[in-house]
Amino acid sequence: MTDPVTLALTAGEPGGIGPELCLQLAAEPREAGLVVVASKELLAARARLLGVTVNWHDWAPGDAPSQAAGSLSVLDIAGCHSVDAGKLDPANSAYVLETLETAARGCLKGEFDGMVTAPVHKGVINEAGIEFSGHTEFLQELCGVERVVMMLATDDLRVALVTTHLPLKDVPAAITPERLIQVARILDADLRTFFGIEQPRILVAGLNPHAGEGGHLGREELDTIEPTLERLRSEGLKLIGPLPADTLFTPHWLDQADAALAMYHDQGLPVLKYQGFGRAVNVTLGLPIVRTSVDHGTALDLAGTGKADAGSLHTAIRVGAHMARSRKNVNRGLDS
């Protein structure tokens, strides 16, 4: 029998598809106990728009989430000013961030075993005068950690990033020994803790074409990446590379690895999204909590149409539940 886990699910941007993705879960089997952290008024309004009947259960810490068909447990967050599908309203920004903070603090207090996030709209939050660069950075600051790692995953592929949302011209200078060491250690440790992999095998991409071609196409591999990988290997990390990115993502290499580590956003993620868009999950590593998210945006054009696909949300919930159970198993081992 698998461990029961409870995940907080934030509904994201009120004008986007997040609220209706949450509603879809009421009629479907669930991978874990779920508590939707959102405005109940918003959810009810979207349910009326879509002609969906949902039995609402007000959730409080210590309660078991309802698993009954047609029901959703909700931790009601007030302050949602507008509930119009497809329309952005900067006045909702503080509410959106409160749902994230409530879910994250609930995880830190042990009320939830992890959190899953529906998409938010960064632009409208910034238009409200609130500096916000994304879920990842928000949770990093809230949890008080120095470094986090973005990893996207499908059932067949995991890709983590050394750098994330940087202009391409700034990437080489950002790939320092210190950053590489932090990212690789977090990736190795969290693959062990949250995915139950005893000795993770990690493929590492070079920065330049052909991994620098022996210095003829750039020296970052020779001067920074390879010496840093050697240091990490001496600590016991199983790191393979630096490899040319155009051949790393082939079965010859991937079949013998647990994850790939790309140097920058568009080096690794186009491959993963081509392989599994709509079935992928965004995982934040390096946090003291479990956090997964969908691999798509707010899709304002689909909001309120009933056509939104919950495939990525199901994946995010399944992976979040797996991570939470894996951590419980690791903790039991430490306690025994």
Side-chain angles (χ1 to χ4, degrees), residues 172-195:
I175 299 173
T176 62
E178 293 75 19
R179 182 189 286 258
L180 266 175
I181 288 169
Q182 287 179 321
V183 169
R185 285 175 176 166
I186 290 170
L187 178 57
D188 178 80
D190 282 6
L191 287 173
R192 296 169 188 266
T193 299
F194 294 119
F195 292 89

Side-chain angles (χ1 to χ4, degrees), residues 6-12 35-38 59 61 75-77 95-118 135 138-139 142-143 287-292 327:
T6 297
L7 301 177
L9 170 59
T10 57
V35 177
V36 181
V37 182
W59 183 88
L75 177 53
D76 186 27
I77 304 296
Y95 152 80
V96 170
L97 296 186
E98 186 177 354
T99 66
L100 297 179
E101 182 170 354
T102 299
R105 293 199 183 282
C107 292
L108 290 170
K109 291 188 288 187
E111 295 168 355
F112 305 116
D113 297 302
M115 63 184 289
V116 178
T117 57
H135 282 105
F138 179 85
L139 294 172
L142 189 149
C143 293
L287 296 173
I289 64 176
V290 170
R291 182 260 169 163
T292 64
R327 182 170 63 175

Side-chain angles (χ1 to χ4, degrees), residues 122 133 136-137 140 147-148 150 161-176 179-180 183 207 262-269:
K122 301 182 184 70
S133 55
T136 303
E137 295 81 4
Q140 176 183 5
R147 174 78 63 195
V148 292
M150 179 186 292
L161 303 177
V162 176
T163 63
T164 53
H165 300 123
L166 285 180
L168 197 56
K169 66 182 178 62
D170 296 335
V171 169
I175 299 173
T176 62
R179 182 189 286 258
L180 266 175
V183 169
L207 172 66
M263 290 294 132
Y264 57 95
H265 188 279
D266 281 12
Q267 183 184 57
L269 296 194

Side-chain angles (χ1 to χ4, degrees), residues 137-333:
E137 295 81 4
F138 179 85
L139 294 172
Q140 176 183 5
E141 181 177 352
L142 189 149
C143 293
V145 297
E146 181 181 358
R147 174 78 63 195
V148 292
V149 176
M150 179 186 292
M151 184 178 80
L152 268 75
T154 66
D155 288 338
D156 305 311
L157 180 63
R158 301 184 186 97
V159 179
L161 303 177
V162 176
T163 63
T164 53
H165 300 123
L166 285 180
L168 197 56
K169 66 182 178 62
D170 296 335
V171 169
I175 299 173
T176 62
E178 293 75 19
R179 182 189 286 258
L180 266 175
I181 288 169
Q182 287 179 321
V183 169
R185 285 175 176 166
I186 290 170
L187 178 57
D188 178 80
D190 282 6
L191 287 173
R192 296 169 188 266
T193 299
F194 294 119
F195 292 89
I197 302 171
E198 291 185 9
Q199 179 63 68
R201 298 161 298 171
I202 301 168
L203 304 177
V204 183
L207 172 66
N208 296 295
H210 299 183
E213 195 77 72
H216 296 288
L217 294 177
R219 293 196 55 86
E220 285 84 1
E221 287 80 9
L222 293 176
D223 295 342
T224 302
I225 299 174
E226 177 57 37
T228 305
L229 297 186
E230 278 298 317
R231 172 179 170 181
L232 291 164
R233 290 184 191 110
S234 72
E235 299 176 5
L237 275 69
K238 193 171 183 60
L239 304 173
I240 304 162
L243 299 170
D246 63 346
T247 54
L248 181 158
F249 292 103
T250 60
H252 170 75
W253 290 108
L254 292 176
D255 288 349
Q256 56 182 303
D258 298 300
L261 180 59
M263 290 294 132
Y264 57 95
H265 188 279
D266 281 12
Q267 183 184 57
L269 296 194
V271 179
L272 182 135
K273 292 197 174 187
Y274 175 77
Q275 190 248 23
F277 189 73
R279 297 177 290 105
V281 56
N282 187 340
V283 181
T284 306
L285 305 178
L287 296 173
I289 64 176
V290 170
R291 182 260 169 163
T292 64
S293 184
V294 295
D295 69 345
H296 56 73
T298 53
L300 296 170
D301 58 324
L302 290 178
T305 67
K307 297 178 180 178
D309 186 345
S312 182
L313 180 58
H314 281 292
T315 305
I317 292 168
R318 185 174 70 251
V319 172
H322 173 81
M323 291 173 66
R325 292 185 181 108
S326 180
R327 182 170 63 175
K328 287 186 176 186
N329 289 335
V330 168
N331 288 340
R332 269 198 295 265

